[in-house]
Amino acid sequence: LYAAGALTGARKTLDTHTMVCCTALGTRVYDWAATRDDLRFAPVSYTHEMRVVAQIDRFVSINTGLAVDLFGQANVEMLGGRQVSGTGGLLDFVRGARMSHGGRSILALPSTGGGSSRIVPRLDAAHVVSLPRADADIVVTEHGVAHLRERSIDERAEALIAIADPAARDTLGNAWDALRAKGAQ
């Protein structure tokens, strides 16, 4: 992005014209970083602080997930009952983006993994809720975009089913109907 001229920081409302990061990896990156006057390393207490992130107008956070349920809750840590990751800065960036003027938060994931749908009726004991439904904003798969912010639970489920793998949509729809019927009793 930097080489293409797309990463200038000119429109940032905080640290204008400066790229701010907390880590860099790789010899080529180290060599490049050493020549940059417009790159600043800062501690995680700054780069991941949601009140700092919120000061950047139109901030967009992009994270990935392992599973999203039809309520909009996301698991980004557990796969098959085994912890494979931590939350990292997920909540900091999601909440900072939500507080940012015009900000958005995107959770991107493939619709399937290991032969199973990554959009599930409800997160189960093999998953953890890493991202509460109240924080969910936009979920993206290769089948489209689900806008969840300020949607009812039924609208959320409908939007998520629409971006699930086509082979899983009927099953998800039936599971949602069963969950809603069970809740109505």
Side-chain angles (χ1 to χ4, degrees), residues 68-126:
V68 176
D69 74 13
L70 295 177
F71 293 93
Q73 303 177 119
N75 161 35
V76 305
E77 305 169 67
M78 306 290 286
L79 192 57
R82 194 175 116 250
Q83 186 165 8
V84 296
S85 179
T87 58
L90 172 80
L91 285 174
D92 302 309
F93 289 114
V94 165
R95 291 176 176 166
R98 189 173 192 96
M99 293 168 27
S100 165
H101 182 268
R104 299 309 299 249
S105 173
I106 299 169
L107 186 70
L109 69 160
S111 65
T112 61
S116 300
S117 178
R118 291 280 181 96
I119 297 178
V120 298
R122 189 157 209 170
L123 294 179
D124 60 25

Side-chain angles (χ1 to χ4, degrees), residues 2 17-19 32-40:
Y2 182 83
H17 296 290
T18 304
M19 295 174 282
W32 174 82
T35 67
R36 305 295 338 144
D37 292 330
D38 54 353
L39 175 65
R40 180 169 64 95

Side-chain angles (χ1 to χ4, degrees), residues 91-167:
L91 285 174
D92 302 309
F93 289 114
V94 165
R95 291 176 176 166
R98 189 173 192 96
M99 293 168 27
S100 165
H101 182 268
R104 299 309 299 249
S105 173
I106 299 169
L107 186 70
L109 69 160
S111 65
T112 61
S116 300
S117 178
R118 291 280 181 96
I119 297 178
V120 298
R122 189 157 209 170
L123 294 179
D124 60 25
H127 300 99
V128 294
V129 176
S130 311
L131 178 68
R133 71 180 188 85
D135 289 319
D137 186 5
I138 297 170
V139 178
V140 177
T141 72
E142 70 274 24
H143 299 291
V145 178
H147 294 271
L148 305 183
R149 187 189 287 186
E150 300 174 4
R151 304 280 184 186
S152 72
I153 60 171
D154 289 312
E155 291 169 331
R156 286 168 170 253
E158 182 180 320
L160 289 163
I161 290 167
I163 65 165
D165 184 71

Side-chain angles (χ1 to χ4, degrees), residues 60-72:
V60 176
S61 73
I62 303 173
N63 290 281
T64 189
L66 299 171
V68 176
D69 74 13
L70 295 177
F71 293 93

Side-chain angles (χ1 to χ4, degrees), residues 178-185:
L179 278 169
R180 295 299 280 147
K182 184 176 182 180
Q185 294 177 352

